[in-house]
Amino acid sequence: MANYELPALPYAHDALEPFIDKMTMEIHHGRHHNAYVTNLNKALEGNELLGSSLEDLMKDISKLSPAIRNNGGGHYNHSLFWQVMKPGGSAPEGKLLDAINAAFTSVEEFKKLFANAAMTRFGSGWAWLSVSGGKLVVTSTPNQDNPLMDVAEVNGTPILGLDVWEHAYYLKYQNKRNEYIDGWWNVVNWNEVAARFNKA
Ligand code: MN
């Protein structure tokens, strides 16, 4: 089976400036994400699961090793993260906008709830917007866990994720996670989130 590979960034390292700086993107993608891929391949060396879809790994993650959980989650989460951002950002519309309004009353209220999930995740982890049982939910997970994992408190299909590990923002924002979150809304690729919503 084929090894996992680091996906190329869909834009230049400096494309998300000034909200996410070039050096953070270079280190985050080229070193952190790359290390998750390398270590996932090592963890699955000689294992028949090597090369199976990340979704398949996630759903039975409780049966697999901590190295597969951490690095498989890291590979899945970062692969999603790069895709749900783009220079210039956009706004939710159409069926996704209707679903956000139905679940959270407004985009503004959704953003507050999501930012709160991101702010209150102690230590390292992720905030998520997922489709769970046909409804939109906001959750957070520790470390490199995600809502696809059978160990998650709330299972669902993630359609938007925010990395709140310090490596995602510390160079530019230091301890000011709130300012990183505020800035990040400017680079959310809502077209990609909508595409994931339509498939979920
Ligand atoms: Mn990260």
Side-chain angles (χ1 to χ4, degrees), residues 177-196:
R177 189 188 283 187
N178 59 322
E179 293 186 11
Y180 160 65
I181 298 166
D182 286 348
W184 178 74
W185 291 119
N186 293 286
V187 294
V188 171
N189 180 357
W190 284 103
N191 295 329
E192 175 65 21
V193 181
R196 289 172 183 265

Side-chain angles (χ1 to χ4, degrees), residues 27-115:
I27 295 171
H28 200 176
H29 177 261
R31 300 194 207 167
H32 289 277
H33 188 174
N34 194 50
Y36 298 125
V37 173
T38 301
N39 291 326
L40 178 61
N41 286 327
K42 266 188 217 158
L44 283 168
E45 206 173 352
N47 188 318
E48 61 179 11
L49 292 172
L50 179 65
S52 56
S53 80
L54 293 172
E55 287 82 357
D56 282 348
L57 286 185
M58 300 298 111
K59 69 180 163 50
D60 291 323
I61 207 74
S62 62
K63 297 176 192 146
L64 303 173
S65 70
I68 298 171
R69 176 172 171 176
N70 293 336
N71 294 293
H75 183 26
Y76 177 87
N77 295 349
H78 289 83
S79 298
L80 179 147
F81 189 49
W82 313 131
Q83 294 288 332
V84 297
M85 297 189 288
K86 73 168 188 183
S90 54
E93 51 187 45
K95 277 193 284 183
L96 176 58
L97 177 61
D98 293 344
I100 288 173
N101 287 334
F104 311 112
T105 71
S106 66
V107 173
E108 197 182 326
E109 288 302 314
F110 154 68
K111 285 185 175 178
K112 276 190 212 165
L113 198 67
F114 188 95

Side-chain angles (χ1 to χ4, degrees), residues 28 78 126 144 163 165 167:
H28 200 176
H78 289 83
W126 291 73
Q144 294 297 354
D163 188 343
W165 284 56
H167 68 223

